[in-house]
Amino acid sequence: MRTLDLVLPDTRYPIHIGQGLLDQGGLIARVLPQQKAMIVSNETVAPLYLERLRAALAREGVETLTVVLPDGEDYKDWATLNRIFDALLKAGCERKTALIALGGGVVGDMTGFAAACYQRGVPFVQVPTTLLAQVDSSVGGKTAINHPQGKNMIGAFYQPRAVIADMDLLDTLPDRELSAGLAEVVKYGLLGDAAFFGWLEDNMALLRARDKQALAYAVEHCCRMKADIVGQDEKEQGVRALLNLGHTFGHAIEAGLGFGVWLHGEAVAAGMLLAADTSRALGWISNDDVVRTETLLAAAGLPTRAPDLGAERWMSLMSHDKKAENGSVRYVLLKEIGYAVVANAPTDIVNSILCGKFIQHSLKV
Ligand code: NAD
Ligand code: GLY
């Protein structure tokens, strides 16, 4: 097991990465203020891993309650969130009763938000079960639910007490979900680490074959980058915005098509290529770098073309982006592989990219 620390001005917490961690209840028990916790999972993950986690915690003397939510991005909403509050109140949970998220990013984001709100804040722990959640959503304290008009619009910054990333849990992940997680992995290389991007080009086949060492290396690398960025800018006043590479376009795809039609990682992949296209149109990233980006995302099994939402709808959806300032959308764009910046882009250029007037990206050149 490898452990990283995410250090913030008023708290710090461990991110444990390895194999066989689900059965090590002590990793969670040691950060709980009370020998009682509520595990939140969903109807897909619970049959696979809930009883093992309960047993591991029982061995440490921790009593667990459970709430099992319906599965899917379209359930990341108020009604489903309320089921967590109902369960907490029904069981008489107190301010020291921790929540434990056992699932992917949807369960993690909702559990974190519930923890931020219940009795004005209770402790919580992340046990991410998808690659996407292990490399991104479980770390850094962004919690939220969706609104029909926009992705992750209602939420809070609220940090977990620990993150437990067990590579063995990825064995049961469907291939499409593994690829979705790889989109966020590629994101880290693109936004800030050209050498890691090169490592991904060399090792994508191993990752898709679920080689545990390759996966653990990638998860650790991404978590290290994320911990460093969040440590500098917890509330996204500056550098943390770079972690949204591909998300301005990607969130519009998710909301525009209806939540759950495209997976988050798929939308981010297509969104990163639109960001690369926009950057190239501005004369920044080179054509070669765009080709490498598209080639790597295709090798990860990800879509490389965005759906046609229509320029007006794109712009309307993107106007809700959380990086917007004074009504103007700001994008994460690329100077080169490993070097991203937050910038405005002329609407006519973005419109042209979205309308396909510029060739969308380079394999088609
Ligand atoms: P998800 O939570 O929907 O999980 C994907 C699917 O895999 C679900 O059907 C789930 O039930 C299933 N699953 C999970 N673990 C499994 C396992 N081990 N074996 C078999 N099936 C398993 O999706 P996701 O990709 O994990 O997360 C996407 C969500 O994360 C989005 O809502 C996105 O907005 C959010 N997100 C948040 C942050 C953040 O910083 N908070 C960052 C990135 C993404
Ligand atoms: N996933 C983007 C962030 O955590 O800031």
Side-chain angles (χ1 to χ4, degrees):
M1 180 179 85
R2 308 261 297 171
T3 300
L4 310 173
D5 276 328
L6 198 155
V7 182
L8 294 163
D10 55 358
T11 186
R12 66 187 296 153
Y13 57 90
I15 304 160
H16 303 296
I17 301 158
Q19 291 180 246
L21 306 190
L22 189 69
D23 302 309
Q24 296 184 36
L27 296 174
I28 296 177
R30 71 173 69 137
V31 300
L32 302 182
Q34 188 183 60
Q35 294 291 83
K36 180 176 166 184
M38 170 79 75
I39 302 174
V40 183
S41 191
N42 74 20
E43 56 202 5
T44 303
V45 177
L48 296 169
Y49 301 116
L50 180 59
E51 284 315 314
R52 262 177 67 195
L53 180 56
R54 293 191 80 185
L57 288 165
R59 287 194 292 278
E60 302 294 324
V62 179
E63 177 202 347
T64 50
L65 309 154
T66 61
V67 55
V68 176
L69 304 176
D71 183 9
E73 183 74 38
D74 45 340
Y75 290 104
K76 194 176 170 186
D77 60 8
W78 273 118
T80 311
L81 184 74
N82 221 19
R83 290 169 69 156
I84 305 177
F85 298 133
D86 288 346
L88 288 165
L89 284 161
K90 192 170 168 201
C93 292
E94 302 165 352
R95 214 175 237 172
K96 286 191 173 173
T97 311
L99 297 189
I100 301 173
L102 175 68
V106 171
V107 165
D109 280 12
M110 281 202 292
T111 306
F113 189 35
C117 299
Y118 185 66
Q119 297 199 4
R120 302 199 183 92
V122 298
F124 93 109
V125 172
Q126 290 270 19
V127 184
T129 63
T130 62
L131 180 62
L132 184 141
Q134 292 184 349
V135 297
D136 198 352
S137 62
S138 64
V139 172
K142 277 192 182 174
T143 74
I145 56 169
N146 298 326
H147 186 281
Q149 291 181 53
K151 175 84 180 153
N152 294 334
M153 278 294 145
I154 322 290
F157 287 99
Y158 194 68
Q159 301 294 338
R161 292 213 172 178
V163 179
I164 321 290
D166 184 342
M167 298 306 108
D168 292 339
L169 307 191
L170 303 180
D171 286 345
T172 52
L173 198 62
D175 286 338
R176 186 177 168 203
E177 298 291 349
L178 187 81
S179 289
L182 288 169
E184 300 279 11
V185 174
V186 170
K187 179 189 79 175
Y188 285 97
L190 264 181
L191 76 88
D193 191 336
F196 182 57
F197 189 95
W199 181 89
L200 290 171
E201 290 178 313
D202 294 340
N203 290 280
M204 188 51 78
L206 270 185
L207 291 167
R208 290 194 73 190
R210 300 170 199 240
D211 177 275
K212 294 279 166 65
Q213 282 189 341
L215 285 169
Y217 176 82
V219 172
E220 183 180 341
H221 196 89
C222 297
C223 287
R224 195 180 295 286
M225 283 182 73
K226 183 148 188 187
D228 179 42
I229 290 170
V230 174
Q232 296 173 53
D233 178 24
E234 179 184 8
K235 302 275 171 71
E236 200 171 303
Q237 300 302 301
V239 66
R240 184 168 183 169
L242 298 181
L243 290 169
N244 296 322
L245 174 62
H247 287 58
T248 305
F249 296 108
H251 284 167
I253 294 172
E254 289 186 84
L257 295 181
F259 294 118
V261 177
W262 276 39
L263 301 181
H264 176 71
E266 294 170 342
V268 167
M272 288 193 293
L273 279 165
L274 289 172
D277 287 338
T278 306
S279 308
R280 183 178 52 186
L282 290 168
W284 293 355
I285 194 170
S286 69
N287 197 57
D288 279 358
D289 277 357
V290 181
V291 173
R292 282 178 68 193
T293 303
E294 182 175 9
T295 306
L296 184 58
L297 291 169
L302 288 158
T304 54
R305 256 187 185 270
D308 181 8
L309 302 178
E312 207 173 305
R313 180 107 173 99
W314 271 110
M315 286 303 176
S316 150
L317 288 162
M318 290 197 298
S319 69
H320 294 306
D321 188 81
K322 292 187 280 307
K323 288 184 299 306
E325 270 182 16
N326 301 319
S328 162
V329 181
R330 291 156 76 241
Y331 301 88
V332 184
L333 299 175
L334 292 161
K335 295 280 185 174
E336 59 189 53
I337 287 172
Y339 180 12
V341 292
V342 178
N344 293 104
T347 306
D348 58 331
I349 290 198
V350 177
N351 262 327
S352 303
I353 299 285
L354 295 172
C355 295
K357 281 187 196 143
F358 283 79
I359 292 160
Q360 264 201 348
H361 27 80
S362 315
L363 291 186
K364 316 285 186 296
V365 169

